[in-house]
């Protein structure tokens, strides 16, 4: 069953719909959109203290849609098994994960000073949860964003 899914994903990420995302401008636009929608999703989570739930639903749906587009713009190197990738793609993916982990580590280290700034606030716990949620969602998306941002235009190779 897993081999069937891997074959489907491999065909999907090599298809014509994915080719549309292979220009730097489109990849970078999607990457910026993902980062911004994560801010909107985390902000919507912060509105829960005011009993406002409805912004979380469209923000969450948009985040899922944009993450799919981001995966297409990176040709699925984060979803496919190593056997379906070449050495360059594996090295690119691993390098992006290492860079994203540094960002996540810095974000976690900054959590304590943020808590010190908002500890007297009425909604201190929710502010901290929003901050952690934003770091978590950016940490998941950042490897893909790094690859989408840094890759040159994809040139079609004759097979």
């Amino acid at each position: 069953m897993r081999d069937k899914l891997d074959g489907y994903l491999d065909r999907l990420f090599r298809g014509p719909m994915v080719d549309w995302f292979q220009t730097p401008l489109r990849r970078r636009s999607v990457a910026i959109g993902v980062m911004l929608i994560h801010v909107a999703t985390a902000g919507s989570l912060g509105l829960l203290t005011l009993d406002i739930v409805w912004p979380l639903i469209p923000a969450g749906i948009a985040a899922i849609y944009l993450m799919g587009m981001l995966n297409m713009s990176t040709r699925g190197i984060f979803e496919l098994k190593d056997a379906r990738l070449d050495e360059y793609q594996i090295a690119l993916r691993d390098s992006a994960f290492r860079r994203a982990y540094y960002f996540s580590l810095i974000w976690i280290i900054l959590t304590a000073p943020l808590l010190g700034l908002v500890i007297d606030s009425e909604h201190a716990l929710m502010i901290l949860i929003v901050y952690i949620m934003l770091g978590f969602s950016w940490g998941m998306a950042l490897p893909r964003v790094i690859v989408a941002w840094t890759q040159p235009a994809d040139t079609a190779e004759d097979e």
Side-chain angles (χ1 to χ4, degrees):
M1 181 74 170
R2 178 66 187 176
D3 290 334
K4 214 173 173 181
L5 176 63
D6 288 338
Y8 170 75
L9 288 175
D10 191 37
R11 285 189 308 278
L12 176 71
F13 288 123
R14 296 182 196 285
M17 180 173 62
V18 175
D19 289 337
W20 188 81
F21 288 98
Q22 299 312 311
T23 64
L25 178 64
R26 289 183 182 138
R27 279 197 301 257
R28 290 176 180 174
S29 298
V30 171
I32 290 170
V34 165
M35 298 306 273
L36 291 177
I37 199 65
H38 284 190
V39 169
T41 304
S44 298
L45 183 66
L47 292 175
L48 291 176
T49 59
L50 303 172
D51 292 331
I52 301 173
V53 178
W54 69 266
L56 193 58
I57 296 167
I61 291 170
I64 291 168
Y65 179 71
L66 282 169
M67 280 300 293
M69 290 172 43
L70 187 61
N71 285 332
M72 284 190 273
S73 72
T74 60
R75 290 213 178 265
I77 65 171
F78 294 93
E79 280 71 37
L80 296 172
K81 285 186 174 181
D82 287 353
R84 299 205 182 258
L85 302 173
D86 59 25
E87 293 89 16
Y88 173 75
Q89 291 172 322
I90 293 170
L92 182 66
R93 180 191 63 198
D94 293 346
S95 172
F97 273 125
R98 278 192 301 277
R99 287 193 233 164
Y101 290 155
Y102 291 130
F103 170 80
S104 299
L105 178 64
I106 291 169
W107 194 269
I108 290 170
I109 290 171
L110 292 177
T111 302
L114 176 74
L115 180 60
L117 291 174
V118 299
I119 198 70
D120 294 332
S121 173
E122 179 183 344
H123 302 293
L125 183 61
M126 187 53 78
I127 292 170
L128 190 63
I129 289 172
V130 167
Y131 182 83
I132 292 170
M133 176 65 183
L134 185 59
F136 176 73
S137 61
W138 277 355
M140 286 188 339
L142 197 58
R144 291 161 180 84
V145 168
I146 290 170
V147 170
W149 196 269
T150 59
Q151 286 306 295
D154 194 19
T155 57
E157 296 177 358
D158 296 336
E159 296 182 9

